[in-house]
Amino acid sequence: MNFTEPKPTIKAFSLKPQDFGEDFEFGVSTAAYQIEGAHSIHDKGASIWDTFTSKKGAIFKNHHGQITCDFYNKYEEDILLMQSMNIRNFRFSLAWSRIIPNGFGAVSKSGIDYYNKVIDFCLKCGITPWVTLYHWDLPQALQDKGGWTNRDIVNWFENYVQVCAQHFGDRVKHWMVLNEPMVFTGAGYFLGVHAPGDKGLKNLLPAIHHAVLCQGIGGRVLRKLLPDAQIGTTFSCSQITPYRNTPRDILAAKKADALLNRLFIEPILGLGYPTEHVPVLKRIEHYINPEDENNMVFDFDFIGVQNYTREMVKHHWFVPYLRAKIVPASKRKVKSTLMDWEVFPPSIYNMIKQFNQYEGVKKIIITENGAAFPDTLINGEVNDTDRKHYLQAHLEQVHKAKKEGANVDGYFVWTFTDNFEWAEGYRTRFGLVYTDFKTQERIVKSSGKWYQSFLGNQ
Ligand code: NOJ
């Protein structure tokens, strides 16, 4: 891990979309539970996020996604706004429990109709839909049977992917199988801070292995049913820097890198789990069946890289298994976002380089990048200069990687409208567009106006 240190950017942002090459796609990213609302309309089943948010104290101020941005009812308005902002690629996810209310078995006609309408409206507006199959909202009925810890999820997921491919595959040509498996397994099945709120290695390890299998199986189902589709899956990743230049901190950084950046991509590429730095991962072997080795591998058309920050890591005796600990941005007195994530644009460059080095990675798409800053609405305007600078600085780093030959061909801002930010509820706003959650009014922020003019400048 030899990383480039930041140089302050003083010059004005001058890049144009065409500087990234003809095939480069720009867009925005969202996820079903974070924007749709309509959590129990028609025959929609509950998801683990419906259940988790109803537990007192689980989420900041007990916020939930029952209504959120009401995208379910406002999709036409939002997609038209996207179109007016020159956005031509829209990444959204399908809510499994809207399509198959119990996770397995009967398919909901109203769920299928709804996503058909969204997809058709995108296409009518000249916007390409990029569909994520799983962005964390597992049907509660499946969680009642163990969720990601139950090996049967492989069959449930295979069936769900088939249903989606059969109903939407004639028009959707860009698919992502999973969103950030490290986060939904780590936060949901080990730390207990995300749905379903489970803890401990006995939950984490099977959840990891089953998610890895589902990545591969989801990819294979799509390839078989939709041979002309572009198939990807997405990973959270952050440059890891040792806090001090000591052997212990350097080792701690290697462990964090194995866990946060390598754990899910390496088995897909046939490299197995990165156990050399995190020996506890060897215990995953208990969950591996002989035929799994092949099923874990899949030749994805693209890898979605999702980057927001870098992490500084130090050795720490009291952290079990890892002996490594993240030093938060607030403790380091560096510029940070409302998530307490350091603003460090070279991280995206270094992550593109790191992922690009894998032989089996054919193409990288930045499927998420963005920031939460304290936005204020003054006289009907949100002047979010910090967010604009954040996005520009990250785009410059993506461009630099591309110029140096990295195969990166897309960039999606997280996110379009302010929405439900998981454990943080509505405290942290990431949108290019401000959402007034009382009136559901949308107000394009100055970052959104800048993105609009950047994209229009072709
Ligand atoms: C990653 C997740 O995919 C998305 O759901 C989340 O809102 C953003 N990062 C920001 O935390």
Side-chain angles (χ1 to χ4, degrees), residues 31 34 135-136 179-180 306 308 339 341 368 414 421-422 430:
Q34 295 181 270
H135 201 126
W136 306 356
N179 181 72
E180 297 193 348
Q306 314 201 148
Y308 290 84
M339 301 290 284
W341 294 344
E368 286 186 24
W414 183 273
E421 176 55 28
W422 311 113
F430 277 83

Side-chain angles (χ1 to χ4, degrees), residues 315-365:
H315 171 82
H316 203 270
W317 280 116
F318 302 118
V319 180
Y321 313 116
L322 265 196
R323 310 261 177 261
K325 195 178 166 206
I326 287 175
V327 185
S330 50
K331 290 255 161 68
R332 295 187 271 123
K333 300 197 172 51
V334 288
K335 184 163 173 53
S336 61
T337 69
L338 275 185
M339 301 290 284
D340 197 12
W341 294 344
E342 179 184 4
V343 176
F344 189 78
S347 177
I348 202 165
Y349 165 86
N350 286 316
M351 283 300 103
I352 294 170
K353 291 273 169 138
Q354 187 167 326
F355 277 71
N356 196 62
Q357 265 169 21
Y358 289 115
E359 214 177 289
V361 171
K362 294 188 199 154
K363 179 157 92 175
I364 292 169
I365 305 278

Side-chain angles (χ1 to χ4, degrees), residues 3-8 237-241 307-312 329 332 334-337 341-351 369-371 373 389-390 393-394 397:
F3 292 129
T4 317
E5 284 307 312
K7 288 192 198 80
C237 61
S238 300
Q239 172 184 330
I240 311 286
T241 306
N307 173 265
Y308 290 84
T309 187
R310 77 159 158 186
E311 302 292 2
M312 281 219 160
R332 295 187 271 123
V334 288
K335 184 163 173 53
S336 61
T337 69
W341 294 344
E342 179 184 4
V343 176
F344 189 78
S347 177
I348 202 165
Y349 165 86
N350 286 316
M351 283 300 103
N369 171 242
F373 288 112
H389 287 155
Y390 176 101
H394 283 77
Q397 296 289 329

Side-chain angles (χ1 to χ4, degrees), residues 105-349:
V107 174
S108 160
K109 185 176 174 313
S110 58
I112 299 289
D113 287 350
Y114 165 65
Y115 288 116
N116 272 332
K117 285 191 285 185
V118 173
I119 292 163
D120 289 345
F121 199 70
C122 282
L123 294 172
K124 190 171 159 201
C125 295
I127 292 175
T128 304
W130 291 60
V131 169
T132 312
L133 285 158
Y134 185 76
H135 201 126
W136 306 356
D137 45 354
L138 186 74
Q140 180 59 41
L142 299 183
Q143 182 56 35
D144 294 343
K145 297 177 184 150
W148 285 97
T149 67
N150 183 340
R151 197 179 165 96
D152 288 346
I153 193 142
V154 173
N155 300 329
W156 304 329
F157 189 70
E158 182 174 15
N159 171 256
Y160 165 61
V161 180
Q162 273 162 359
V163 170
C164 296
Q166 277 154 1
H167 284 90
F168 311 124
D170 56 335
R171 287 149 296 146
V172 175
K173 303 294 173 201
H174 297 81
W175 294 86
M176 283 143 289
V177 177
L178 298 182
N179 181 72
E180 297 193 348
M182 185 57 229
V183 178
F184 79 74
T185 56
Y189 287 85
F190 184 70
L191 300 173
V193 295
H194 277 190
D198 289 348
K199 290 187 180 159
L201 272 189
K202 67 173 193 313
N203 290 309
L204 178 69
L205 296 181
I208 290 174
H209 184 57
H210 300 146
V212 166
L213 282 174
C214 285
Q215 275 181 162
I217 280 155
R220 257 185 291 285
V221 170
L222 291 172
R223 181 84 87 230
K224 185 163 162 240
L225 298 178
L226 312 172
D228 63 338
Q230 284 284 306
I231 304 165
T233 195
T234 77
F235 301 114
S236 49
C237 61
S238 300
Q239 172 184 330
I240 311 286
T241 306
Y243 185 56
R244 291 160 298 214
N245 200 12
T246 61
R248 276 183 175 173
D249 282 8
I250 292 171
L251 181 63
K254 285 197 173 131
K255 291 175 178 192
D257 184 52
L259 204 60
L260 301 179
N261 296 328
R262 299 171 48 205
L263 179 58
F264 282 89
I265 181 140
E266 296 199 354
I268 287 188
L269 300 174
L271 303 171
Y273 291 110
T275 50
E276 76 278 22
H277 292 305
V278 193
V280 70
L281 286 176
K282 289 202 182 108
R283 297 194 206 167
I284 287 194
E285 277 164 18
H286 298 309
Y287 305 95
I288 305 185
N289 288 355
E291 73 275 13
D292 289 358
E293 298 292 340
N294 285 339
N295 288 337
M296 287 154 71
V297 180
F298 184 71
D299 184 22
F300 281 101
D301 298 309
F302 68 92
I303 293 299
V305 163
Q306 314 201 148
N307 173 265
Y308 290 84
T309 187
R310 77 159 158 186
E311 302 292 2
M312 281 219 160
V313 173
K314 68 174 179 186
H315 171 82
H316 203 270
W317 280 116
F318 302 118
V319 180
Y321 313 116
L322 265 196
R323 310 261 177 261
K325 195 178 166 206
I326 287 175
V327 185
S330 50
K331 290 255 161 68
R332 295 187 271 123
K333 300 197 172 51
V334 288
K335 184 163 173 53
S336 61
T337 69
L338 275 185
M339 301 290 284
D340 197 12
W341 294 344
E342 179 184 4
V343 176
F344 189 78
S347 177
I348 202 165
Y349 165 86

